[in-house]
Amino acid sequence: MKVGIINVTGYAGMELARILRRHPEVEIASATGRSLAGRRLGEVFPHLSECDIEITSDITESVDFVFSALPHAASAERLEPFIAQGVKTVDVSADFRLKDLDEYTYWYKIDHPCPQFMETAVYGLPELHRDEIAQTRLVGNPGCYPSAAVLALAPAVQAGIIEPDIVVDAKSGVSGAGRGGSVALNFSEVNENFKAYNLDGHRHHPEIVQELDAIGQSDGLRLTFLTHLAPMTRGILVSCYAPLKPGALPSGEAGKDSVREIYQSRYADEPFANVVPLPPQTKHTSGNNDCAIHATIDLRADRLIAIACLDNLVKGAAGAAVQNMNVMCGFDETAGLDQLALYP
Amino acid sequence: MKVGIINVTGYAGMELARILRRHPEVEIASATGRSLAGRRLGEVFPHLSECDIEITSDITESVDFVFSALPHAASAERLEPFIAQGVKTVDVSADFRLKDLDEYTYWYKIDHPCPQFMETAVYGLPELHRDEIAQTRLVGNPGCYPSAAVLALAPAVQAGIIEPDIVVDAKSGVSGAGRGGSVALNFSEVNENFKAYNLDGHRHHPEIVQELDAIGQSDGLRLTFLTHLAPMTRGILVSCYAPLKPGALPSGEAGKDSVREIYQSRYADEPFANVVPLPPQTKHTSGNNDCAIHATIDLRADRLIAIACLDNLVKGAAGAAVQNMNVMCGFDETAGLDQLALYP
Amino acid sequence: MKVGIINVTGYAGMELARILRRHPEVEIASATGRSLAGRRLGEVFPHLSECDIEITSDITESVDFVFSALPHAASAERLEPFIAQGVKTVDVSADFRLKDLDEYTYWYKIDHPCPQFMETAVYGLPELHRDEIAQTRLVGNPGCYPSAAVLALAPAVQAGIIEPDIVVDAKSGVSGAGRGGSVALNFSEVNENFKAYNLDGHRHHPEIVQELDAIGQSDGLRLTFLTHLAPMTRGILVSCYAPLKPGALPSGEAGKDSVREIYQSRYADEPFANVVPLPPQTKHTSGNNDCAIHATIDLRADRLIAIACLDNLVKGAAGAAVQNMNVMCGFDETAGLDQLALYP
Amino acid sequence: MKVGIINVTGYAGMELARILRRHPEVEIASATGRSLAGRRLGEVFPHLSECDIEITSDITESVDFVFSALPHAASAERLEPFIAQGVKTVDVSADFRLKDLDEYTYWYKIDHPCPQFMETAVYGLPELHRDEIAQTRLVGNPGCYPSAAVLALAPAVQAGIIEPDIVVDAKSGVSGAGRGGSVALNFSEVNENFKAYNLDGHRHHPEIVQELDAIGQSDGLRLTFLTHLAPMTRGILVSCYAPLKPGALPSGEAGKDSVREIYQSRYADEPFANVVPLPPQTKHTSGNNDCAIHATIDLRADRLIAIACLDNLVKGAAGAAVQNMNVMCGFDETAGLDQLALYP
């Protein structure tokens, strides 16, 4: 199958190229990148040296599948003709994640470039929407933070064991901010430093609410979602907190066991959502498509603690996009995604 | 004034030496360290090369003030004779922080080596206990996490604007784990990695409860305190969350202003508790004794967000110990502590 | 083919497991590790969670191929019975690298545990010894530093364009020091730090001399080899300097072109020795088996500058070991080694 | 004394403010920074929060001393009126380092903005030019690399024990590249990465040659100077190699002793050039004005190895500038520079 990558020159795009290059079912037929158009992909990015194709301004080949790794708005605009022609697409940007156009406008502060496709788009978390993904031509790939937060919380929300009053304290590596050049991303500013940012709200907030509200038993999730920048390149870890619903679980250690069973059973058949016995570490998922999840109870406060981590560029972006492609195209869901994490 | 440092060879001890070396009122007269006894301090630690004293097994000189940077239990044991003789002491370990002996026994799983002094000891957070510190001979220096968490939350608790239902999500650099050699602290294991630890409870938990309960209007704080390890050497950042008490604050942006004023007014005269207008970054306190604090409201969830950061080895350990000494001895509280943060 | 890994619990052993797990021709049948014997491999190392075998004290299965990732001396001892039985083996330790027993004794300060096999062992750098490797049953896998240094210098030495008077300034990430627990490897000691070490000589010195002397036109290489520790987990970069032989190359830019051609032509058919047009970066080889090499001339000083970098745990250890196995067993030399570098 | 800082908003300028703020003899009267003009210094840089002055476009106060931390060319231009008026100045840029105008033009590829002052300027390395610095009104502050390289090599060159054939392999932290925003400085590109750069020559090359030729016994130093970027914020370490002059030193260990004595005796009275018994580590100088130096012999190759490290923003920039000011103004040379290194 011939695939095209729009904007191969950002981190998500590069990572798509890295993963697709080893995918048994596809060939990268075309890859775009405005500022580097005309140069060879493998020359610009030495780790892709064997990808001997030219970066172009537009998708030049006829392709069967398109990934867009452009920023929002630009992404939907460039994808529109492909969607209209019926080419299957995964949009890694935020353009097709939200169901509610007003929410999109509120958070992204622009008019959506092609709202006509918002309804047909499917939110690309196979762990929640596998069947719909298998039948759609347009997937909105989840944000990196929501991928972790929703997977961390979905079992508890679905099982109805927590109050709809959640704190998600999220920590991300720097690559989540993209391959840009700004003082704030300068190594000297970030290294040996830790900070919270976006205290008035992060654009990934409505995704988490949308997905958890859809599976929960009550509307109107009261969510505090605070993001932090950690001095590392890859990795997201979310620590989620919510009061237990009184009486929903046995008390004491038995409650912990019960939580563990709820989580294990929920994800028993999932190839990339792994419930792990010990608190996970971001480096355990470095370079692979796993989301590692651990849930327990703070018995002193009767509060659920659910932790999830993943590689923001893989399960949080390019890997999830390939997983979605696999589901959309009927390939083995794990095709191209079998790399073990690089540790240490 | 002649001071002695017990266990100068750990990070807190080394940091005490670094700070005291530039203190205008004191001289380091004696410094102990079992494994390195017999060697020159400046030879073992090149950054202290001008400290030309011998590391000994015991405090050898007659001293007017003693710091202990030993681990708990060992610390109280070694301090006991000094306390008994009426020498002023600051214990950097956990031995004299808790008022409740049962709590100590529960969390540290040992019998307290000299419980007779627990009651007379003062919890060494001058921002809460300045007057008592000025009059005691024995200070239990706060843990690094509680220093940040209590300073982040005290104004809100005292003002009665939050429910006693708090989540403290804490992130620490690696030096908090000490100058040990273990696989878990090996650079290769920690770098590019982020993890939560001690999900069943951290020993600093009861300190936070003790201090906040003492100033709050209700007993029985429901606290979830979760600690994380970040890939950096120095720095602690705590993100604290609590539901606002209904009606306690004006709604909307005015509520945020109100929170800001409560915090600014609470710490207006504090030299080392700085309420900052933007979310603080750990590196802004690297090497100095500041605790930078920022509080706001998540208007979507009616929840207080209070963030504090500090250098775990300075305001979280050695700097606070020197601040306590200054208060105990009637020196200028900032003496020896005027170093600006090293940034970047 | 059934393979066994002796000492799977160090970094080289773990990395062997990671690579072999995806090797199309082999199955990990047995893996040893004294301190963790009895536990499941995937339980101890979460990134290997799908490796569902038990760690044992000794190789328990009948295997067709054995890797040893033990430290020197212990390695030869444990390999001896396998070698004697004719099982093919790659020793990742230093025991079978040196041809000269006296050199071994001098540098490692012990008697060699089974000197009878030293002569039959082949130095496992396929780029220099492919044919011998294909015919031997025992390969001594090169040290991480020599892999880089020899590949960086071999073309110049073979072409006779430099004087036998070489400086190799080598920089390594911390994982080269192994999965140990010592204060010197503590994150807090290594991060934001850079140092030289082993100024009186590093054990990898004689390997470099042995290999370069064997291909050079003069004996008695005058080599200065200085190692440094860089604050990163993976990666080695060597910067090599040698005076040009007068008249051996055209002057000026033409000389640079000539050097480039010598290098490109030397490694034209090599899958893992890549001559790159720009100075290489360690992260361009992170997690893969490439050695990236760049050579040029300092025209001001008529000196060759040759730079090489590689991932010390892959091409510098486990990847090279698998490459050697592939050659020894007649597999495709790149089998199991096709992973692209993880960047960024 | 009232001092002005031109371009306080780069790393060298910020560091000048940090150091001068604690200098007992001076007051920062004015500080410029084009892009941030109009804002308070302490507001823009929280670690300087107590510096309550406004950043302006030009030096607004009448000042007795001016530091410029602008880039070259712009620096000389802005300093010219002050120099002309006889105000004492230290230029942290490269404009007044080189004696030879042609060398300046060759390396910086521009015409010098005020060549009339080049001759009167003194190269600001007090360890070599203390008396001239004490008598000049214009100091060209050394580059960060040359500070380390010249201090590492000067004793050997002056003593005539090495051939004029030197390799300087230099490693720098990222802050040396300044407080800029570019993809190449993005944390994700630099972290876990090591690379050489400027293989065709670095602008600090002619400074090293100028200073060593001036004290050596032969002209025409054959210098290879190669720079590398290490994944850390602060710190430079140079490893210098040169063949010993035959017969200049006793052979064997006695030669090493002799080298040590030459170095120790050369720097015996220097407050900031410290000959250390063990190979130095960059973190031992983090935040202070020391240059730590260690010299020995590679007995296998009869080659001098001299290693020096320093904090590139302190002894490599702002600290050296203050040291120069102290010498120029007759203050204690160590005034304001007594901070101990921050370790770990």
Side-chain angles (χ1 to χ4, degrees):
Chain A
M1 192 173 79
K2 289 190 170 189
V3 305
I5 303 171
I6 301 178
N7 199 30
V8 74
T9 59
Y11 287 144
M14 280 163 59
E15 197 71 349
L16 276 167
R18 179 179 74 85
I19 295 169
L20 292 169
R21 174 71 192 171
R22 289 285 176 265
H23 194 290
E25 309 282 354
V26 313
E27 172 205 352
I28 304 171
S30 182
T32 81
R34 218 171 327 184
S35 63
L36 294 167
R39 303 192 55 188
R40 313 299 297 181
L41 181 54
E43 178 195 300
V44 176
F45 300 120
H47 70 295
L48 301 174
S49 61
E50 49 174 83
C51 294
D52 190 28
I53 63 167
E54 190 185 315
I55 303 171
T56 53
S57 294
D58 293 286
I59 295 290
T60 50
E61 295 263 333
S62 156
V63 294
D64 308 303
F65 201 101
V66 174
F67 294 95
S68 169
L70 280 170
H72 67 272
S75 191
E77 255 176 59
R78 292 285 287 278
L79 278 178
E80 186 168 19
F82 295 96
I83 305 171
Q85 287 159 41
V87 176
K88 290 186 178 174
T89 57
V90 171
D91 180 13
V92 180
S93 91
D95 283 339
F96 296 109
R97 295 174 190 164
L98 299 178
K99 298 296 156 205
D100 182 331
L101 190 55
D102 291 343
E103 284 282 296
Y104 182 89
T105 311
Y106 170 79
W107 285 96
Y108 292 92
K109 309 206 186 310
I110 47 164
D111 290 330
H112 196 288
C114 44
Q116 69 274 22
F117 295 126
M118 283 187 80
E119 228 166 296
T120 58
V122 176
Y123 190 78
L125 207 54
E127 293 78 5
L128 268 73
H129 303 288
R130 183 167 286 110
D131 293 346
E132 301 155 80
I133 294 168
Q135 286 168 25
T136 190
R137 297 185 158 270
L138 171 58
V139 160
N141 213 52
C144 49
Y145 285 121
S147 299
V150 173
L151 291 174
L153 288 161
V157 169
Q158 283 185 313
I161 60 171
I162 55 172
E163 304 284 358
D165 181 20
I166 295 177
V167 170
V168 174
D169 185 293
K171 303 89 176 167
S172 174
V174 184
S175 61
R179 196 170 155 268
S182 76
V183 172
L185 300 178
N186 185 309
F187 180 91
S188 302
E189 302 285 320
V190 174
N191 194 40
E192 274 288 299
N193 205 355
F194 197 93
K195 66 171 176 185
Y197 68 99
N198 282 14
L199 272 75
D200 283 330
H202 187 286
R203 286 168 168 177
H204 288 174
H205 187 109
E207 285 180 54
I208 302 173
V209 173
Q210 166 183 292
E211 294 302 308
L212 294 181
D213 266 353
I215 57 175
Q217 289 151 19
S218 58
D219 244 26
L221 175 59
R222 185 190 189 195
L223 171 69
T224 291
F225 169 52
L226 183 58
T227 50
H228 301 76
L229 191 67
M232 59 190 191
T233 300
R234 288 175 181 245
I236 278 182
L237 186 139
V238 295
S239 309
C240 308
Y241 308 92
L244 292 179
K245 221 171 251 174
L249 290 172
S251 63
E253 292 294 324
K256 290 189 191 179
D257 293 344
S258 186
V259 166
R260 204 172 304 127
E261 278 154 31
I262 287 167
Y263 273 73
Q264 274 167 347
S265 136
R266 174 61 184 83
Y267 292 135
D269 298 327
E270 289 299 335
F272 298 117
N274 302 326
V275 179
V276 294
L278 295 173
Q281 311 186 9
T282 59
K283 194 142 78 167
H284 289 152
T285 64
S286 184
N288 80 6
N289 199 49
D290 289 339
C291 179
I293 301 158
H294 179 84
T296 187
I297 296 173
D298 176 357
L299 295 175
R300 282 177 200 90
D302 280 327
R303 209 180 318 259
L304 177 82
I305 297 177
I307 297 173
C309 70
L310 50 75
D311 184 323
N312 56 305
L313 296 180
V314 189
K315 183 59 175 166
V322 172
Q323 185 184 356
N324 281 316
M325 178 194 74
N326 288 341
V327 175
M328 293 163 82
C329 298
F331 303 145
D332 179 345
E333 191 167 331
T334 65
L337 297 170
D338 62 349
Q339 179 173 329
L340 299 179
L342 203 61
Y343 187 94
Chain B
M1 191 173 79
K2 290 191 169 189
V3 304
I5 303 171
I6 301 177
N7 199 30
V8 74
T9 59
Y11 287 146
M14 279 163 61
E15 198 70 351
L16 276 167
R18 180 181 72 84
I19 294 170
L20 291 170
R21 175 71 192 168
R22 288 285 176 265
H23 195 290
E25 310 282 354
V26 313
E27 174 205 351
I28 304 172
S30 182
T32 81
R34 214 167 332 182
S35 64
L36 294 167
R39 302 193 55 188
R40 314 298 299 180
L41 181 54
E43 177 195 300
V44 176
F45 300 121
H47 70 295
L48 301 174
S49 61
E50 49 174 85
C51 295
D52 191 28
I53 60 168
E54 190 183 315
I55 303 171
T56 52
S57 293
D58 292 287
I59 295 290
T60 49
E61 294 265 332
S62 154
V63 291
D64 308 304
F65 201 100
V66 174
F67 294 96
S68 168
L70 280 170
H72 67 271
S75 192
E77 256 176 59
R78 291 286 286 279
L79 278 178
E80 188 168 16
F82 295 97
I83 304 171
Q85 288 160 40
V87 176
K88 290 185 178 176
T89 57
V90 172
D91 179 12
V92 180
S93 92
D95 284 339
F96 295 109
R97 296 175 189 162
L98 298 178
K99 298 295 155 205
D100 183 330
L101 190 55
D102 290 343
E103 284 284 296
Y104 182 89
T105 310
Y106 171 78
W107 285 97
Y108 293 91
K109 310 206 185 312
I110 46 165
D111 290 330
H112 195 289
C114 45
Q116 70 274 25
F117 296 126
M118 282 186 83
E119 228 168 294
T120 59
V122 176
Y123 191 77
L125 207 55
E127 293 78 6
L128 269 73
H129 302 289
R130 183 168 286 111
D131 293 345
E132 298 156 80
I133 295 169
Q135 286 167 25
T136 191
R137 296 185 157 271
L138 170 58
V139 160
N141 214 51
C144 49
Y145 285 121
S147 298
V150 173
L151 290 174
L153 288 161
V157 169
Q158 282 183 313
I161 61 171
I162 55 173
E163 304 284 0
D165 181 20
I166 296 177
V167 170
V168 174
D169 185 292
K171 302 88 176 168
S172 175
V174 183
S175 61
R179 195 170 157 268
S182 75
V183 172
L185 299 178
N186 185 309
F187 180 91
S188 302
E189 302 286 319
V190 173
N191 195 38
E192 276 288 297
N193 205 355
F194 197 94
K195 67 172 176 184
Y197 67 98
N198 281 15
L199 272 75
D200 284 330
H202 187 284
R203 285 168 169 178
H204 287 175
H205 188 108
E207 287 181 53
I208 302 174
V209 173
Q210 166 184 293
E211 293 302 307
L212 294 181
D213 266 353
I215 58 175
Q217 290 150 16
S218 57
D219 245 25
L221 176 59
R222 186 190 186 194
L223 171 70
T224 291
F225 168 53
L226 183 58
T227 50
H228 300 77
L229 191 67
M232 58 191 192
T233 301
R234 286 176 181 244
I236 277 181
L237 186 139
V238 295
S239 308
C240 308
Y241 308 92
L244 292 180
K245 223 172 249 173
L249 290 172
S251 64
E253 292 295 323
K256 289 190 191 177
D257 293 344
S258 187
V259 166
R260 205 172 305 128
E261 279 153 32
I262 288 167
Y263 273 72
Q264 275 168 346
S265 135
R266 173 64 183 81
Y267 292 134
D269 298 327
E270 289 299 334
F272 298 118
N274 301 325
V275 179
V276 294
L278 295 173
Q281 310 185 9
T282 58
K283 193 142 75 167
H284 288 152
T285 63
S286 183
N288 80 7
N289 199 48
D290 289 339
C291 178
I293 302 158
H294 179 84
T296 187
I297 297 174
D298 177 357
L299 295 175
R300 282 178 201 88
D302 282 326
R303 208 180 317 257
L304 177 83
I305 298 178
I307 298 173
C309 71
L310 50 75
D311 183 326
N312 55 304
L313 296 180
V314 189
K315 182 60 175 163
V322 172
Q323 184 183 356
N324 281 316
M325 176 194 75
N326 288 341
V327 174
M328 293 164 83
C329 298
F331 303 144
D332 178 345
E333 190 167 331
T334 66
L337 297 169
D338 63 349
Q339 179 173 330
L340 299 178
L342 203 62
Y343 186 93
Chain C
M1 192 172 79
K2 291 191 169 188
V3 304
I5 303 172
I6 300 177
N7 199 29
V8 74
T9 60
Y11 287 146
M14 280 163 61
E15 198 71 349
L16 276 166
R18 181 181 71 85
I19 295 170
L20 291 169
R21 175 71 192 168
R22 288 284 176 266
H23 195 290
E25 310 281 355
V26 313
E27 176 206 351
I28 305 172
S30 182
T32 81
R34 215 169 330 182
S35 63
L36 294 166
R39 302 191 55 188
R40 312 298 297 179
L41 181 54
E43 179 195 299
V44 176
F45 301 120
H47 71 295
L48 301 175
S49 59
E50 48 174 85
C51 295
D52 190 28
I53 61 168
E54 191 184 315
I55 303 172
T56 51
S57 294
D58 292 286
I59 296 290
T60 49
E61 294 265 331
S62 154
V63 293
D64 308 301
F65 201 99
V66 174
F67 294 95
S68 169
L70 280 170
H72 67 271
S75 192
E77 256 175 59
R78 292 286 285 279
L79 278 177
E80 187 167 17
F82 295 96
I83 305 170
Q85 288 159 39
V87 176
K88 289 185 179 176
T89 57
V90 171
D91 179 12
V92 180
S93 90
D95 283 340
F96 295 109
R97 296 174 189 162
L98 298 179
K99 299 295 156 206
D100 183 330
L101 190 56
D102 291 343
E103 284 284 295
Y104 182 89
T105 311
Y106 170 79
W107 285 96
Y108 294 91
K109 309 207 186 310
I110 46 165
D111 289 330
H112 195 288
C114 45
Q116 70 275 24
F117 295 126
M118 282 186 84
E119 227 166 295
T120 59
V122 176
Y123 191 78
L125 206 54
E127 293 78 5
L128 269 73
H129 303 288
R130 183 167 286 112
D131 293 347
E132 298 156 79
I133 294 168
Q135 287 168 25
T136 190
R137 296 185 157 269
L138 171 58
V139 161
N141 213 51
C144 49
Y145 285 121
S147 298
V150 173
L151 289 175
L153 288 161
V157 168
Q158 282 184 313
I161 61 171
I162 54 172
E163 303 284 358
D165 181 21
I166 295 177
V167 170
V168 174
D169 185 292
K171 301 89 177 169
S172 175
V174 183
S175 61
R179 196 169 156 269
S182 75
V183 172
L185 299 179
N186 185 309
F187 181 90
S188 302
E189 302 286 318
V190 173
N191 195 39
E192 275 288 298
N193 206 354
F194 197 94
K195 66 172 177 184
Y197 67 99
N198 282 15
L199 272 74
D200 284 330
H202 187 285
R203 286 168 168 178
H204 288 174
H205 187 108
E207 286 181 54
I208 303 173
V209 173
Q210 166 183 295
E211 292 303 307
L212 294 181
D213 266 353
I215 58 175
Q217 290 150 17
S218 57
D219 245 25
L221 176 58
R222 186 190 186 195
L223 170 70
T224 292
F225 169 54
L226 182 58
T227 51
H228 301 78
L229 191 67
M232 58 191 192
T233 302
R234 287 176 181 244
I236 278 181
L237 186 139
V238 295
S239 307
C240 308
Y241 308 91
L244 292 180
K245 221 172 252 174
L249 290 172
S251 64
E253 292 295 324
K256 290 189 191 177
D257 293 343
S258 186
V259 166
R260 205 173 303 128
E261 279 154 31
I262 288 168
Y263 273 72
Q264 275 168 346
S265 135
R266 174 64 183 82
Y267 291 134
D269 298 328
E270 289 298 334
F272 298 118
N274 301 325
V275 179
V276 294
L278 295 172
Q281 310 185 10
T282 58
K283 193 142 76 167
H284 288 152
T285 63
S286 183
N288 81 7
N289 199 48
D290 289 339
C291 179
I293 302 159
H294 179 83
T296 187
I297 297 174
D298 176 356
L299 294 176
R300 282 177 200 90
D302 281 326
R303 208 181 318 257
L304 177 83
I305 298 178
I307 297 173
C309 70
L310 50 76
D311 183 325
N312 55 305
L313 296 180
V314 189
K315 182 59 175 164
V322 172
Q323 185 183 356
N324 281 317
M325 175 194 76
N326 288 342
V327 174
M328 293 164 83
C329 298
F331 303 146
D332 179 344
E333 190 167 332
T334 66
L337 298 170
D338 63 349
Q339 179 173 329
L340 298 179
L342 203 62
Y343 186 96
Chain D
M1 193 173 78
K2 289 189 171 191
V3 304
I5 303 171
I6 300 176
N7 200 28
V8 74
T9 60
Y11 287 144
M14 279 163 61
E15 197 71 351
L16 276 166
R18 180 179 72 85
I19 295 170
L20 291 169
R21 175 70 192 169
R22 288 286 177 265
H23 195 289
E25 309 282 354
V26 312
E27 174 205 352
I28 304 172
S30 182
T32 82
R34 216 168 330 182
S35 63
L36 294 167
R39 303 192 55 187
R40 313 299 298 179
L41 181 54
E43 178 195 301
V44 176
F45 300 121
H47 70 295
L48 300 175
S49 61
E50 50 174 82
C51 295
D52 190 27
I53 62 167
E54 191 184 315
I55 302 172
T56 52
S57 294
D58 292 287
I59 296 290
T60 49
E61 294 263 334
S62 156
V63 293
D64 308 303
F65 200 100
V66 175
F67 295 94
S68 170
L70 280 170
H72 67 272
S75 191
E77 256 176 58
R78 291 286 286 281
L79 278 177
E80 186 167 19
F82 295 97
I83 305 171
Q85 288 160 39
V87 176
K88 289 185 178 175
T89 57
V90 170
D91 180 12
V92 180
S93 92
D95 284 339
F96 296 109
R97 295 173 190 163
L98 298 179
K99 299 294 157 207
D100 183 330
L101 190 55
D102 291 344
E103 284 283 297
Y104 182 89
T105 312
Y106 171 79
W107 285 96
Y108 293 92
K109 307 207 187 308
I110 46 163
D111 290 330
H112 196 288
C114 45
Q116 70 275 23
F117 295 126
M118 283 186 80
E119 229 166 295
T120 58
V122 176
Y123 191 79
L125 206 54
E127 292 78 6
L128 269 72
H129 302 289
R130 184 167 285 110
D131 293 346
E132 299 157 79
I133 294 169
Q135 286 167 25
T136 190
R137 295 183 159 271
L138 171 57
V139 159
N141 213 51
C144 50
Y145 286 121
S147 298
V150 173
L151 290 175
L153 288 161
V157 169
Q158 282 184 314
I161 60 172
I162 55 172
E163 303 284 358
D165 181 20
I166 296 176
V167 170
V168 174
D169 186 292
K171 303 89 176 166
S172 175
V174 184
S175 62
R179 196 169 155 269
S182 76
V183 172
L185 299 178
N186 185 311
F187 181 90
S188 302
E189 302 285 320
V190 173
N191 195 39
E192 274 289 297
N193 206 355
F194 197 93
K195 67 171 176 185
Y197 68 99
N198 282 13
L199 272 74
D200 283 330
H202 187 286
R203 285 168 168 177
H204 288 174
H205 186 109
E207 286 180 53
I208 302 172
V209 173
Q210 166 183 292
E211 294 302 308
L212 294 182
D213 266 353
I215 57 175
Q217 288 150 18
S218 58
D219 244 24
L221 175 59
R222 185 190 188 195
L223 171 70
T224 291
F225 169 53
L226 183 58
T227 51
H228 301 76
L229 191 66
M232 58 190 191
T233 300
R234 288 175 181 244
I236 278 182
L237 186 139
V238 295
S239 308
C240 309
Y241 308 91
L244 293 179
K245 222 171 250 173
L249 289 172
S251 63
E253 292 295 323
K256 289 189 190 179
D257 293 344
S258 186
V259 165
R260 204 173 304 127
E261 279 154 30
I262 288 168
Y263 273 73
Q264 275 168 346
S265 135
R266 173 62 183 83
Y267 291 135
D269 299 328
E270 289 299 334
F272 298 117
N274 302 325
V275 179
V276 294
L278 295 173
Q281 310 187 10
T282 59
K283 193 141 78 168
H284 289 151
T285 64
S286 184
N288 80 7
N289 199 48
D290 289 339
C291 179
I293 302 158
H294 180 83
T296 187
I297 296 174
D298 176 357
L299 294 176
R300 282 177 200 88
D302 280 326
R303 209 181 316 259
L304 176 82
I305 297 178
I307 297 173
C309 70
L310 50 76
D311 183 325
N312 55 305
L313 296 180
V314 189
K315 183 59 175 166
V322 172
Q323 185 183 357
N324 280 316
M325 178 194 75
N326 287 342
V327 175
M328 292 164 82
C329 298
F331 303 145
D332 179 344
E333 191 166 332
T334 66
L337 297 169
D338 62 350
Q339 180 173 330
L340 298 179
L342 203 61
Y343 188 94

